[in-house]
Amino acid sequence: MNKATKLLTRHPGRVLLGFCAVLLLAVLITGLLKFEQNILGLLPQDNRAFKLLSHSVTSSDGQEKVYILVEGAGGDEEGLINQTTELITRLKHIQTGDGPAFKRLTMLQAEAVSSAEFSHLLDKYLADPGLFLNGADHAELSRFFNSPKDLDREIRRSLALLATPGSGDLAAMVVKDPLNLRRFLIAKLRSMQGSMDFATRPEMMAADGEAIIVIGTPATSDNPQKHAKELVVACHTVFHDFADLKIGITGGYVIAAQEEQVMKGDIITCMIGSILGISLLFLLAYRRFSVLVFIILPLAVGLQLALGVMAVLFGQVHIISVAFSAVVLGLGVDFAIHVYDRYGSERALGASAEEATHRAIFRTGSAVFAGGLTSLTAFIVLTFTGTPVLQQIGWLVALGLFFSLLAILLALPAWLNWLDRRNPGKKHQGFSLLGTGLLADFVDQHPKKLLILSGIILLLATPGLKNIHFERSLEALHPEGLEALAVRSAIFNHFSKGITGIFVSFEASTKEEFWQKSARIDADLAGLGDNIASFASLTTVTSPTAFTISETGQKNLASALAKYKLTTESFPSLTTLISHRARTPSTTLSSAKLHQRFFIEENGKIIGITWVNGRSPEVIASLQKLWQDQDIMVVTLDMALSSLMETAKGNMVQTVGLAFVIVVTILLVFFKSLKTSFLALVPMILGVIVTTGLMGWLGISFNLINFIILPILIGIGLDDGIHIMDRYRESRCIKTTITSTGRSILLTSLTTCLGFGSLALAKYHVLADMGMLTIIGVSSCFFFSAVSLPALLSLREHQDD
């Protein structure tokens, strides 16, 4: 006996104490982990299409706001406005946590950008007007300062506003900007309003007069996720009091809260279902509660340690990734069953504790380790994709399986030996064959019939492969039935102008090249006339050259102010404006989001973005043709998503190919035989074909999440094939192979179905499909490994005889 066997059999208590210390450490580390649910994390992030998509979200604060859609009936615009005003009043008084739910609520177009936000922009603008003035604005502003009449008119208007009772925020703005220079900034903001179609009135009312948007800014909270949930519940309580209106709530803030609620509920339900189902199955098969507890503990340690390492590596993990914890439970318990089954069987046959431990670890354990390594490899290759969620799933499952494997090979034998030492007189009884005895007899007597049956199953499933396709819609990955998504769609229907939003993107190596390319694109777009509804770029907002007031303009301003016994010192912003000096041309213009949405700086390059509103989808083809010989990308949101999905698909195909090559290499090293390795591959290959064929028949398409079924089947199918071939190589008996290893594979297949297959109960349709596909795939792999492969081996034996 080697040192490991002696340690486990003679000093199991020491091993168990070390195991308990690791368990405590795992629990403590996991407490560092945080969760996030940004759906963009599902996309590859190493190309320009993703950068455009992500930038369109992060450069705006729209994701942080709440949008309430109020729909009336009968076209009574005034009645709708009055009721919406009452609704806003009620919403302003709702409380969450220790204070108001909202910082601000409005239904007015002019207040879509809050006064605080606009005041911040205005301060930057007045401190350096060049930040928000393009070349045309320079000419207009120069003309303004050279016209004493225009200067006098604006000063008189500002003084009148200051004298108006109750002017409030407007008066404060006039003090900052007595010359109404903000009109240039307001024009920029309006030009970037996008494709929203409002009625010609102050409110954000649809052109058809049947709906109004209320924009809310949630109050600051230390726990935004909890605040979002409480805010949505409180809002719905108020909505119920307006029976005549149809009111819904949406926004990135709300969508994230509702998605998290659905996914967390599914994950908790499935995890509990997995543990209960696996525990019940184990008790029915082995009837030892003490062993069951200690089989669950190594899996918990493995999973806890994996999550702890994830906390150190990533800081936070996507909530969808955590759902794949069930894979660790489903596959990890397989390792435990094979080890325990061999130990218990050997003890029932009269082997000593040391002999049983040695055979469980170094004979069955070697196959467990090889199978675990192939399963681990099938997931570790996911870490090489450019998709964060897939990388996280790969790390989580691979680390979880690795730590579970170590815990099972060390802690489980120590626990079994400790139990035997406490009950030295207890006899070990043989395990129930669970019907595998009858199966073994049938396989041995009728191998040809079973191989024909296997062929029929394969032939029936194969035509479904032609129906397989990859889902390119990111929307299809959202949970179904979310109110926030339905409201977002309703807003689009009410307020869309039928205009096509287009991203025009280019790369520049220097700042000078950036300005030149942006200006050239502006000129090209302007030349398309009515085909372009509007467009906005950094060169439409600002200019690389600074604006300065001429000496004549400064004299005119001083004279106009003196007429009312004022000086530039009366308005500090004017002093700043007059004393301003030219700045160095730069794309790093300011921290204002108004600028940041037009460029991305990274790795010494600048990616420029021009936002275009085309009057028809045909404009896209015109722009692509216009710039076909230049490095200019023209895409819509849907085109960008489709490109990203295609990239993700390519990454996944490469990942599966790489995993296949690696696991075949592992098989060749383990078996040292090409023929044996090929036979071990058969259950996995046929299982994958049948599962994907049935997907086609059922109309289930591959997507960014359920694609993980392929690494799962590679791991399970190979694990089953390895164990069958390894036991057959040891015993050279089909019946022994099926009644021992075949029984273990039956149990591991059932535990995987109960573990990861429990996702079939999820409300989130993507996870539910994953659960169903797992059940189909695992059942297929079991059939081909415990029935078809032994039948093939039996037929070969009969032919040899």
Side-chain angles (χ1 to χ4, degrees):
M1 298 296 168
N2 58 29
K3 292 182 180 180
T5 304
K6 291 180 180 178
L7 175 65
L8 292 172
T9 55
R10 299 176 185 179
H11 305 287
R14 297 179 186 178
V15 177
L16 293 177
L17 282 174
F19 176 77
C20 291
V22 172
L23 176 60
L24 179 61
L25 176 65
V27 173
L28 293 176
I29 294 177
T30 308
L32 302 173
L33 192 64
K34 296 180 180 179
F35 303 103
E36 58 104 6
Q37 60 271 353
N38 180 11
I39 199 165
L40 293 180
L42 298 173
L43 299 173
Q45 302 192 358
D46 55 358
N47 60 38
R48 198 195 298 181
F50 174 82
K51 292 169 185 174
L52 287 175
L53 184 62
S54 177
H55 194 68
S56 69
V57 175
T58 57
S59 63
S60 166
D61 61 357
Q63 292 292 305
E64 302 167 6
K65 293 184 184 286
V66 169
Y67 300 88
I68 299 170
L69 178 65
V70 184
E71 298 175 276
D76 181 7
E77 294 185 6
E78 294 303 324
L80 180 59
I81 289 171
N82 291 336
Q83 286 186 289
T84 305
T85 302
E86 182 183 350
L87 172 67
I88 291 173
T89 302
R90 292 279 305 279
L91 292 174
K92 285 180 177 178
H93 290 91
I94 63 175
Q95 301 282 314
T96 56
D98 299 327
F102 292 100
K103 286 196 292 189
R104 183 174 166 276
L105 285 156
T106 185
M107 64 174 172
L108 300 177
Q109 294 185 49
E111 296 179 358
V113 176
S114 70
S115 57
E117 292 167 328
F118 183 76
S119 179
H120 176 70
L121 279 175
L122 186 61
D123 287 341
K124 288 184 173 294
Y125 168 60
L126 294 174
D128 189 351
L131 292 177
F132 300 96
L133 296 174
N134 58 34
D137 297 332
H138 286 191
E140 170 61 21
L141 203 52
S142 294
R143 187 202 60 76
F144 173 72
F145 278 104
N146 288 326
S147 171
K149 181 179 179 180
D150 290 345
L151 283 168
D152 183 69
R153 184 186 67 247
E154 289 299 337
I155 292 172
R156 281 190 289 107
R157 181 182 297 171
S158 296
L159 292 174
L161 287 172
L162 287 173
T164 303
S167 56
D169 292 340
L170 182 59
M173 198 168 294
V174 168
V175 171
K176 288 183 178 181
D177 180 28
L179 302 180
N180 192 25
L181 300 182
R182 59 189 175 278
R183 64 186 183 274
F184 294 97
L185 178 59
I186 292 172
K188 301 293 186 304
L189 296 175
R190 285 178 176 169
S191 71
M192 291 183 288
Q193 189 178 65
S195 56
M196 297 292 283
D197 190 13
F198 293 122
T200 54
R201 55 184 307 145
E203 297 81 14
M204 287 181 282
M205 176 178 280
D208 58 15
E210 295 183 356
I212 290 178
I213 294 177
V214 177
I215 299 179
T217 303
T220 304
S221 173
D222 293 333
N223 190 339
Q225 294 174 341
K226 180 182 178 183
H227 180 74
K229 294 176 189 175
E230 294 176 351
L231 182 147
V232 171
V233 171
C235 285
H236 277 107
T237 302
V238 175
F239 295 167
H240 290 155
D241 295 336
F242 293 82
D244 296 338
L245 301 175
K246 183 179 178 181
I247 309 175
I249 186 169
T250 188
Y253 188 82
V254 178
I255 292 173
Q258 292 185 352
E259 285 183 336
E260 181 190 21
Q261 188 172 4
V262 170
M263 292 181 191
K264 270 193 174 179
D266 281 345
I267 290 170
I268 292 172
T269 300
C270 293
M271 289 291 286
I272 292 174
S274 297
I275 293 171
L276 292 177
I278 291 171
S279 301
L280 180 61
L281 178 65
F282 196 89
L283 286 174
L284 290 174
Y286 295 116
R287 303 178 186 278
R288 288 190 74 180
F289 182 78
S290 57
V291 176
L292 166 65
V293 171
F294 216 79
I295 279 181
I296 295 297
L297 283 178
L299 298 180
V301 169
L303 186 56
Q304 290 278 354
L305 281 173
L307 290 171
V309 173
M310 297 285 283
V312 174
L313 290 178
F314 299 103
Q316 61 180 12
V317 175
H318 200 285
I319 195 167
I320 289 178
S321 302
V322 181
F324 286 82
S325 299
V327 178
V328 178
L329 295 178
L331 294 179
V333 77
D334 295 358
F335 307 152
I337 287 175
H338 283 296
V339 171
Y340 176 65
D341 198 85
R342 184 63 185 267
Y343 179 87
S345 297
E346 293 293 338
R347 291 288 280 156
L349 292 173
S352 67
E354 286 193 357
E355 290 173 334
T357 301
H358 183 80
R359 290 168 187 168
I361 295 177
F362 294 100
R363 290 188 181 176
T364 297
S366 64
V368 167
F369 187 79
L373 194 59
T374 57
S375 298
L376 186 151
T377 300
F379 282 93
I380 199 67
V381 292
L382 292 177
T383 62
F384 297 106
T385 68
T387 307
V389 171
L390 293 183
Q391 291 174 343
Q392 291 176 8
I393 291 171
W395 279 116
L396 176 63
V397 178
L399 289 170
L401 292 178
F402 175 73
F403 290 129
S404 295
L405 188 60
L406 289 181
I408 286 165
L409 289 176
L410 295 176
L412 180 57
W415 178 250
L416 293 172
N417 277 273
W418 188 81
L419 290 176
D420 281 351
R421 293 181 68 177
R422 291 199 57 175
N423 301 281
K426 185 176 180 179
K427 293 184 178 180
H428 288 265
Q429 298 180 351
F431 300 133
S432 169
L433 295 181
L434 300 176
T436 55
L438 295 175
L439 176 62
D441 291 336
F442 194 85
V443 169
D444 192 47
Q445 295 170 15
H446 307 285
K448 289 185 179 179
K449 291 180 181 179
L450 290 174
L451 289 176
I452 290 171
L453 176 61
S454 302
I456 291 172
I457 293 172
L458 197 62
L459 287 174
L460 290 175
T462 301
L465 294 174
K466 68 178 185 297
N467 300 324
I468 290 291
H469 70 281
F470 193 85
E471 178 60 67
R472 286 179 169 79
S473 172
L474 193 62
E475 291 296 310
L477 299 183
H478 282 293
E480 294 176 340
L482 288 189
E483 176 210 14
L485 296 178
V487 173
R488 188 177 66 180
S489 178
I491 288 176
F492 178 81
N493 292 334
H494 277 293
F495 294 90
S496 173
K497 290 179 180 178
I499 284 176
T500 302
I502 304 169
F503 297 108
V504 176
S505 172
F506 61 91
E507 287 190 357
S509 301
T510 65
K511 295 166 183 177
E512 291 74 16
E513 182 186 3
F514 170 85
W515 288 107
Q516 292 169 4
K517 284 190 173 182
S518 183
R520 189 161 61 246
I521 289 172
D522 289 351
D524 289 342
L525 291 170
L528 293 175
D530 292 339
N531 290 321
I532 304 296
S534 64
F535 64 90
S537 67
L538 199 59
T539 39
T540 63
V541 172
T542 186
S543 169
T545 59
F547 172 76
T548 55
I549 304 175
S550 66
E551 291 186 9
T552 301
Q554 293 184 35
K555 290 178 181 179
N556 290 339
L557 177 59
S559 298
L561 289 170
K563 183 177 178 180
Y564 300 97
K565 298 182 180 180
L566 297 170
T567 65
T568 54
E569 284 74 17
S570 305
F571 305 97
S573 62
L574 292 182
T575 304
T576 303
L577 180 65
I578 292 171
S579 62
H580 177 71
R581 294 293 179 266
R583 57 185 167 80
T584 302
S586 170
T587 53
T588 310
L589 297 169
S590 74
S591 59
K593 289 185 177 180
L594 187 64
H595 282 168
Q596 293 176 349
R597 68 190 312 225
F598 296 114
F599 65 91
I600 307 169
E601 286 186 295
E602 64 174 23
N603 301 325
K605 287 191 174 182
I606 306 165
I607 298 175
I609 306 168
T610 299
W611 301 63
V612 181
N613 288 319
R615 294 197 183 277
S616 69
E618 288 73 24
V619 173
I620 300 169
S622 299
L623 294 176
Q624 289 174 334
K625 183 177 180 180
L626 178 64
W627 296 314
Q628 61 184 346
D629 297 328
Q630 304 176 53
D631 183 24
I632 297 177
M633 177 186 287
V634 179
V635 293
T636 63
L637 178 62
D638 289 340
M639 290 170 63
L641 287 173
S642 179
S643 171
L644 288 167
M645 290 296 194
E646 194 62 32
T647 301
K649 176 184 174 183
N651 288 343
M652 291 175 177
V653 171
Q654 291 176 4
T655 296
V656 171
L658 177 61
F660 185 79
V661 170
I662 294 174
V663 296
V664 168
T665 303
I666 293 172
L667 286 178
L668 289 172
V669 171
F670 180 72
F671 286 116
K672 298 181 176 62
S673 166
L674 182 61
K675 183 165 58 175
T676 304
S677 299
F678 173 76
L679 290 172
L681 281 169
V682 168
M684 180 272 289
I685 294 173
L686 299 184
V688 169
I689 292 173
V690 168
T691 303
T692 51
L694 288 176
M695 283 180 65
W697 285 120
L698 295 172
I700 301 174
S701 58
F702 275 118
N703 58 48
L704 291 171
I705 299 175
N706 69 19
F707 192 88
I708 304 299
I709 189 67
L710 293 182
I712 291 174
L713 293 185
I714 289 174
I716 292 172
L718 280 175
D719 189 56
D720 292 349
I722 287 171
H723 282 291
I724 289 291
M725 291 306 300
D726 186 64
R727 192 57 187 268
Y728 178 74
R729 187 174 60 170
E730 180 184 338
S731 66
R732 289 296 170 182
C733 175
I734 292 296
K735 188 167 184 177
T736 300
T737 299
I738 294 177
T739 55
S740 57
T741 301
R743 182 194 61 218
S744 298
I745 290 176
L746 173 61
L747 284 172
T748 60
S749 298
L750 290 173
T751 55
T752 302
C753 288
L754 289 170
F756 196 53
S758 65
L759 291 174
L761 303 175
K763 294 179 182 178
Y764 181 27
H765 66 285
V766 176
L767 293 181
D769 286 347
M770 276 291 301
M772 184 172 67
L773 291 175
T774 300
I775 292 172
I776 294 172
V778 170
S779 301
S780 300
C781 288
F782 167 75
F783 177 82
F784 289 117
S785 61
V787 178
S788 303
L789 181 56
L792 183 61
L793 295 172
S794 178
L795 185 63
R796 192 175 66 171
E797 280 185 358
H798 291 167
Q799 290 175 343
D800 292 340
D801 294 340

